[in-house]
Amino acid sequence: MTSNAADPAPQRPVVAVLGTGIMGSGMARSLLRAGLDVRAWNRTASKAAPLAADGATVVESAEEAVRGADVVLTVLNDGPSVAAALAAAAGGLHADQVLLQSSTVGPEATSDLARRTADLGPVYLDAPVSGTKQPAEQGALTVFVAGPSTVRARIEPVLDAIGQRTVWVGEVPGAASRLKLVVNTWVITMVNNIAECLNLAEGLGVDPQTFLDVMKGGPLDSAYLQGKSAAVLSGDLTPSFTLSTALKDTRLILDAARSSGVRLDLVAASADRFSRAEAAGHGGEDMIATYYAGRAPEKGAD
């Protein structure tokens, strides 16, 4: 077989999911619904435990999770977390595996993780996802992938289970992570735009619902505007994507922009808002809690 030939695909690949937070648990359940064997591990074991009821094999160590798996899916918070998980799993990793690295870690960390993975054996795919809790649970994410196309057949069952669309960006890891930062820039500025509109409505004594009704159905309306606004107005800030994670991604975007000579004023302002909201105790809430960073102070307050 030539070196550029596609690898055969296992009919029912075993998938080790490392990281079972909001996104990881949703993706694991999508894999299980597709009939794939899933081994789930999380550093905080209680976050992985509920997946047992859905049919996953919940294990106590990262090494146990990856041993014998065909695909290793990492869904963790940042580059250091992924590096730590790979170090913990090293004894069970080998050259016949594919590592689908779906955490948003930025280009620099992606390059570092690719080097680490090469030393450990598996084929490394840079594969961040676009979407939040609900798409993860529905198998409706968009997956950006950069890495050797020779392993496409081996991971198609996994990609088909977690996503409604896969975008192959290139053969070299890093390209997908760069695209993900551009996509996240759109999301981050949008969520802060929504928050500021609600802040200004409140400050001017305008009923926020009147603003939303005026926008509804028009060319500037969106499901995102209506949904995030409804979360604020109802007070239900159950996270689809936490504010602290959004702040982490915002800092990755700013780091990448600085290294490429680009100035992003809106993203810098978004980082300030997220930081203030996190400092006020909203880090674990949905990222629309950035609303609280600009909320008008109560009359008579210092």
Side-chain angles (χ1 to χ4, degrees), residues 35 53 56 68 86 127 267 277:
L86 292 179
V267 178

Side-chain angles (χ1 to χ4, degrees), residues 46-227:
S46 60
K47 290 186 176 181
L51 290 169
D54 297 291
T57 300
V58 178
V59 297
E60 295 183 358
S61 73
E63 181 175 341
E64 184 181 358
V66 305
R67 190 176 299 280
D70 300 295
V71 178
V72 178
L73 174 64
T74 51
V75 197
L76 296 149
N77 184 60
D78 52 24
S81 298
V82 178
L86 292 179
L93 295 172
H94 55 79
D96 292 331
Q97 294 170 319
V98 177
L99 175 64
L100 201 62
Q101 204 304 98
S102 293
S103 317
T104 301
V105 300
E108 184 176 344
T110 295
S111 296
D112 174 67
L113 292 170
R115 288 190 295 269
R116 291 173 184 265
T117 304
D119 292 338
L120 294 168
V123 176
Y124 182 88
L125 294 181
D126 169 27
V129 300
S130 180
T132 54
K133 180 181 179 180
Q134 186 174 3
E137 293 175 340
Q138 295 173 342
L141 297 165
T142 297
V143 190
F144 311 126
V145 187
S149 58
T150 52
V151 298
R152 285 194 188 194
R154 293 170 59 186
I155 63 164
E156 276 182 356
V158 177
L159 296 175
D160 289 346
I162 65 175
Q164 63 179 355
R165 182 184 181 196
T166 299
V167 180
W168 283 86
V169 185
E171 294 280 327
V172 180
S177 284
R178 292 192 292 271
L179 176 59
K180 175 63 188 301
L181 293 188
V182 175
V183 171
N184 275 15
T185 298
W186 174 254
V187 175
I188 284 163
T189 54
M190 185 187 297
V191 77
N192 280 289
N193 183 29
I194 293 169
E196 290 200 347
C197 287
L198 297 177
N199 290 150
L200 184 60
E202 180 183 59
L204 296 178
V206 174
D207 183 353
Q209 190 59 55
T210 301
F211 157 65
L212 295 170
D213 290 344
V214 167
M215 299 296 290
K216 195 167 187 177
L220 299 180
D221 191 22
S222 70
Y224 199 79
L225 167 63
Q226 299 293 337

Side-chain angles (χ1 to χ4, degrees), residues 22 132-134 137 227-228 230-232 234-243 282-289 292:
I22 291 174
T132 54
K133 180 181 179 180
Q134 186 174 3
E137 293 175 340
K228 291 300 184 186
V232 170
S234 69
D236 182 4
L237 297 179
T238 302
S240 292
F241 194 80
T242 69
L243 185 141
H282 299 285
E285 297 173 344
D286 190 82
M287 62 180 173
I288 191 57
Y292 290 103

Side-chain angles (χ1 to χ4, degrees), residues 185 189 250 253-254 257 262-272:
T185 298
T189 54
T250 303
I253 293 167
L254 290 172
V262 175
R263 178 171 175 172
L264 300 179
D265 296 325
L266 296 179
V267 178
S270 295
D272 288 341

